[in-house]
Amino acid sequence: MNTAVIFAGGSGVRMNSKSKPKQFLELNGKPIIIHTLQYFQNNSEIDSIAVVCIDGWIDYLKDILQKNFITKVKWIVPGGTTGQVSIYNGLRAIYDDIDNPNDTIVLIHDGVRPLISEKLISDNIACAKKYGTAITVVPLMETIVSINDSNNITTINNRSLSRIARAPQTFVLSDIMSAHIRAIEDKNLNFIDSASLMLHYGYSLKTVDGPIENIKITTPADFYIFRAIYEARENSQIFGI
C-alpha cells in the first residue's frame, strides 16, 4: 500500500494574506492545495491520502475536494502545535486504520509545494521500497556558508557534496511512526522536517533527485514564481515548447 500525508496546517503568516491561509490561495480558479493533491490523485501508485488541515478550515477543505474530484483523501485531521506534531497526527490516522504498517509506504509532502510531478512521486515510492527511505533533494546553485555569533564565516561547505532537502520525504510507515513515538517520549517536538527526525533516530536516508522548481510557497514572491512556472508548463503543453 502506498499512501501520502499532505501537510496543510500552516497559517501562512509570511504570505500576508488576511482572507485565507496560503494553502487555499487560488491560481486559475484552484487553491494551491488542490494543485498539489492532483498529482497524488492522478498517480496510479497512490492508494490513499491523509490531509492535515489547519483547524477551522476542515469543512472548506472537504468542499473543495469534492468540487475538484479529489477522491483518494481518506483521512482529514487537524494540525497540532508544531509541524512535527501535525505530521504525527496524519500518520497516526493512517496507522490506526490499516492492517500492516510494515508493508505501507508513506510519502510526506507540503500542501504548498505544488510544483512536483507524478514521476517524482513514483521515484520516491520505488526508492523507499528498495532502501526504506527516500528524501527528495535538489543541487545547490549557490555557496552555503556557516557563521558564528559574530557573523564571521567559519565554514564554506563543499557544494558538490551538499543538497537542498525538499519533499516528498518517503518512509515505511512503521519506521516513521516508531521515530515519532520515540521523539514524543524524548520530548523532541521541533524537528525541522521528517528527514531530520529520522536521521536523529539512526535511520539511513537515501536521496531522490527532484525538479529544481519544487519550491515551497511561503511568501508572495514564491506565489509569483509558482504562477510563472505553472503558466510556462501550461504553455509547453499547448505550444509544444
Side-chain angles (χ1 to χ4, degrees):
M1 176 179 173
N2 303 315
T3 189
V5 171
I6 309 299
F7 174 63
S11 58
V13 174
R14 283 172 287 180
M15 186 61 76
N16 296 322
S17 172
K18 294 183 173 65
S19 59
K20 295 178 180 177
K22 59 187 177 182
Q23 56 270 31
F24 297 120
L25 296 178
E26 294 186 1
L27 176 66
N28 283 11
K30 287 190 295 189
I32 293 172
I33 181 68
I34 296 297
H35 284 280
T36 302
L37 284 168
Q38 283 179 330
Y39 285 103
F40 292 88
Q41 174 72 28
N42 295 334
N43 187 296
S44 61
E45 295 184 79
I46 294 294
D47 300 300
S48 56
I49 303 168
V51 179
V52 182
C53 185
I54 185 170
D55 198 24
W57 286 82
I58 290 178
D59 287 341
Y60 181 81
L61 174 64
K62 289 178 179 178
D63 182 56
I64 61 174
L65 291 176
Q66 183 177 17
K67 287 179 179 177
N68 289 278
F69 307 102
I70 305 297
T71 59
K72 290 185 180 180
V73 173
K74 185 174 180 181
W75 307 274
I76 299 175
V77 299
T81 53
T82 68
Q84 181 184 330
V85 175
S86 295
I87 294 301
Y88 172 77
N89 290 349
L91 293 169
R92 184 90 248 177
I94 300 169
Y95 188 87
D96 289 344
D97 197 34
I98 64 170
D99 294 329
N100 197 342
N102 295 313
D103 291 332
T104 299
I105 299 295
V106 59
L107 296 86
I108 299 172
H109 192 69
D110 300 302
V112 289
R113 205 182 284 273
L115 291 167
I116 54 171
S117 66
E118 289 187 52
K119 180 181 183 302
L120 179 58
I121 293 169
S122 293
D123 287 349
N124 266 258
I125 293 170
C127 183
K129 284 183 175 179
K130 185 174 183 179
Y131 298 107
T133 60
I135 308 300
T136 302
V137 298
V138 296
L140 283 172
M141 299 291 109
E142 307 279 356
T143 298
I144 300 295
V145 301
S146 299
I147 63 172
N148 59 21
D149 292 340
S150 300
N151 287 329
N152 294 320
I153 292 176
T154 58
T155 307
I156 298 178
N157 297 317
N158 185 339
R159 190 161 60 185
S160 67
L161 298 177
S162 299
R163 297 291 185 272
I164 300 171
R166 290 191 170 167
Q169 297 184 356
T170 305
F171 313 95
V172 177
L173 178 58
S174 56
D175 290 342
I176 185 71
M177 275 297 293
S178 176
H180 270 278
I181 291 168
R182 291 173 67 184
I184 291 169
E185 292 171 349
D186 296 341
K187 295 183 171 56
N188 288 334
L189 302 179
N190 287 290
F191 286 100
I192 191 66
D193 63 2
S194 298
S196 302
L197 170 70
M198 293 292 276
L199 189 65
H200 179 82
Y201 286 106
Y203 290 89
S204 176
L205 304 181
K206 205 73 174 178
T207 61
V208 171
D209 291 331
I212 194 69
E213 67 267 23
N214 179 26
I215 62 170
K216 184 177 181 181
I217 300 175
T218 303
T219 67
D222 297 328
F223 183 83
Y224 294 128
I225 292 170
F226 166 47
R227 184 171 68 182
I229 296 173
Y230 176 86
E231 290 174 352
R233 284 184 175 184
E234 289 292 293
N235 290 337
S236 70
Q237 295 179 49
I238 295 169
F239 299 111
I241 57 176

